[in-house]
Amino acid sequence: MAEFQHINRISEQRANIWEATKELLDRAASENRDLDGDEEQSFQRMTADLDKLDATRQTLLETIERDRKIDEARAAAGVRSVFASDPEPEPADDVNAQVRSLFTGERRTMTFESRVNTTTSSNINSIPTDVLPAWVLYYAQGNVMRDVSTVITTQSGEPLNIPTASARSTATIIGEGSSITASDPTYAARSVGAYKVATLLQFSRELAADSGAPVADFLARQAGEALGIATRAYFTTGTGSSQPRGIVLDSTNSSITGPTGKSGAPSGDNIIDLYHAVPVSARAADGFRFMCNSTTLGAIRKLKADNGTYGSTEYLFTVGLQGGADMILGRPVVVNESMASGTSAKCLIAGDISRYYIREVGGLVVETDLSYGFANDLITLRALVRTDAVLTDRSAVVYMTGASS
């Protein structure tokens, strides 16, 4: 597929830009000085280029996955695959036409093998399932926490008790005939509920009726990303008061503070210390990640570590190739824009992020209403998700704090 060729080209471009970035930093380091004004501008431009390429590559990967899921849904509904080698003409009543007819009121119901929230009345209609993969995709795209956490889906929203641990059991050698001493872990059952996160948007009947407008994808992006960004913020820094408890709130303080005069950014030694503050079992887990926002990662990209050879250093950050994750100290790093940065901020966490459990009730719900904006000839779309979350092992994730100045 052309998308994979484009992804490979992007990976090569990223590698080339990263090498140029290292050359710029190495030149300044060899002269024992900071970047001058022109060099700093060049560094920022190259960093921005890396971020843009990252975003483009991620979009392509998500597009491929979305097309695959839509193709599977179309096949389940008896519609010929859009990837078939000998394509037949698409039915005149294609997916976007079906959605437009739903929005305009020409249809009141649609029948598919499965449906997400089949609420139907004279004014409320459900979105067909072969469109829903795009909505879910954009929702996931806005919420990176769902990619690295453990997601549990339940059909109803009653309180769900999930065991959480703050201290582990211990074991020791016991002599023959001796009694085994009990060593219970320190744990509790944390109740997670189902907070409703929702968005409401309106659009004109003309937009819905315009056959040239990609209505389904446009609305999927607007509503899906809105829900994704909102839930990402709650899962990251949520207070637990009428909202989920964020992973930063429940992670363990490593007592590591960044150097002064660096706008809250960590030093290389800080990152190494933070890595070793994570318990060995969590460091060895497949779910281990560093997590920070783009500002903090931009500072980390400049950091070097002496590898023990005279005059030779290497960067703590390495760029991911061929679709792989970017790395810090050889371990994956996740960019989460809901993480804080700056002085006195909890700017970097590390640990087994998969021990953060996200509970979702019934998936993403999307409905339209024709009466709410009737006076202005507007169609109203409502999208919502019911969710909550908990960190099941607080010792498995640790954070560091930026300096106060």
Side-chain angles (χ1 to χ4, degrees):
M1 295 175 65
E3 289 90 346
F4 289 113
Q5 296 176 356
H6 195 182
I7 289 171
N8 289 334
R9 287 196 296 271
I10 288 174
S11 298
E12 293 174 0
Q13 293 173 19
R14 292 179 80 249
N16 292 335
I17 292 174
W18 178 237
E19 290 302 320
T21 303
K22 290 196 293 184
E23 182 180 349
L24 181 69
L25 296 172
D26 287 341
R27 183 166 61 250
S30 66
E31 298 172 4
N32 196 27
R33 60 177 177 81
D34 293 331
L35 298 177
D36 61 30
D38 291 339
E39 290 172 332
E40 180 64 29
Q41 289 183 4
S42 296
F43 175 81
Q44 294 299 334
R45 282 196 300 270
M46 287 187 285
T47 298
D49 289 342
L50 282 173
D51 291 338
K52 289 178 182 177
L53 289 171
D54 285 342
T56 301
R57 182 180 64 177
Q58 186 63 25
T59 299
L60 287 170
L61 291 171
E62 290 165 348
T63 298
I64 293 170
E65 180 64 12
R66 181 189 64 184
D67 289 344
R68 183 187 66 79
K69 290 181 178 179
I70 291 177
D71 187 48
E72 290 176 353
R74 290 170 66 88
V79 179
R80 185 177 174 82
S81 169
V82 296
F83 299 127
S85 59
D86 184 21
E88 296 178 352
E90 284 290 316
D93 190 19
D94 64 7
V95 172
N96 275 318
Q98 294 177 41
V99 175
R100 283 190 295 273
S101 67
L102 177 67
F103 291 158
T104 58
E106 297 172 19
R107 294 190 179 194
R108 292 302 183 187
T109 61
M110 290 184 179
T111 302
F112 290 86
E113 290 188 1
S114 61
R115 191 184 294 270
V116 175
N117 191 48
T118 55
T119 301
T120 303
S121 69
S122 60
N123 290 313
I124 299 178
N125 307 290
S126 297
I127 302 300
T129 56
D130 52 357
V131 179
L132 280 167
W135 299 78
V136 176
L137 169 69
Y138 290 126
Y139 168 54
Q141 183 176 327
N143 187 353
V144 69
M145 284 296 297
R146 293 184 81 257
D147 294 338
V148 294
S149 303
T150 299
V151 179
I152 301 173
T153 301
T154 60
Q155 295 305 310
S156 57
E158 68 273 4
L160 178 66
N161 290 327
I162 297 180
T164 62
S166 57
R168 298 174 174 81
S169 299
T170 59
T172 187
I173 295 175
I174 302 296
E176 182 179 355
S178 300
S179 61
I180 301 174
T181 304
S183 176
D184 297 328
T186 303
Y187 66 91
R190 180 76 60 81
S191 177
V192 294
Y195 295 105
K196 180 165 61 179
V197 183
T199 184
L200 194 75
L201 59 92
Q202 293 182 309
F203 54 96
S204 67
R205 187 179 295 272
E206 288 83 358
L207 176 63
D210 185 358
S211 60
V215 180
D217 190 71
F218 173 77
L219 295 175
R221 180 179 294 275
Q222 296 299 313
E225 288 187 351
L227 291 177
I229 292 170
T231 52
R232 182 191 70 198
Y234 293 132
F235 296 155
T236 305
T237 57
T239 64
S241 177
S242 300
Q243 59 184 255
R245 295 179 66 89
I247 191 171
V248 176
L249 176 68
D250 280 343
S251 59
T252 299
N253 186 355
S254 68
S255 300
I256 298 170
T257 303
T260 59
K262 298 296 183 181
S263 302
S267 67
D269 287 348
N270 290 155
I271 297 173
I272 294 171
D273 290 341
L274 185 68
Y275 176 73
H276 288 283
V278 179
V280 174
S281 59
R283 289 206 307 267
D286 291 338
F288 180 92
R289 300 287 189 278
F290 288 100
M291 183 177 287
C292 61
N293 66 18
S294 292
T295 300
T296 301
L297 186 60
I300 292 173
R301 279 175 168 164
K302 299 179 181 179
L303 299 177
K304 294 182 178 181
D306 190 338
N307 65 7
T309 303
Y310 177 76
S312 177
T313 56
E314 58 187 28
Y315 290 90
L316 273 65
F317 172 88
T318 53
V319 68
L321 300 176
Q322 301 299 322
D326 291 337
M327 302 280 188
I328 298 176
L329 299 178
R331 304 305 300 273
V333 57
V334 175
V335 177
N336 180 348
E337 299 300 359
S338 294
M339 287 285 295
S341 59
T343 56
S344 302
K346 298 175 182 178
C347 60
L348 181 65
I349 64 174
D352 184 2
I353 310 297
S354 67
R355 301 190 195 191
Y356 189 73
Y357 277 54
I358 296 173
R359 187 263 187 104
E360 293 181 349
V361 179
L364 182 65
V365 178
V366 183
E367 297 168 324
T368 60
D369 184 271
L370 304 178
S371 62
Y372 185 76
F374 180 79
N376 297 313
D377 198 25
L378 296 175
I379 299 169
T380 304
L381 182 142
R382 178 178 67 193
L384 62 89
V385 62
R386 297 174 64 201
T387 188
D388 199 1
V390 62
L391 181 59
T392 59
D393 188 347
R394 301 181 67 169
S395 66
V397 182
V398 299
Y399 72 86
M400 66 158 290
T401 307
S404 58
S405 62

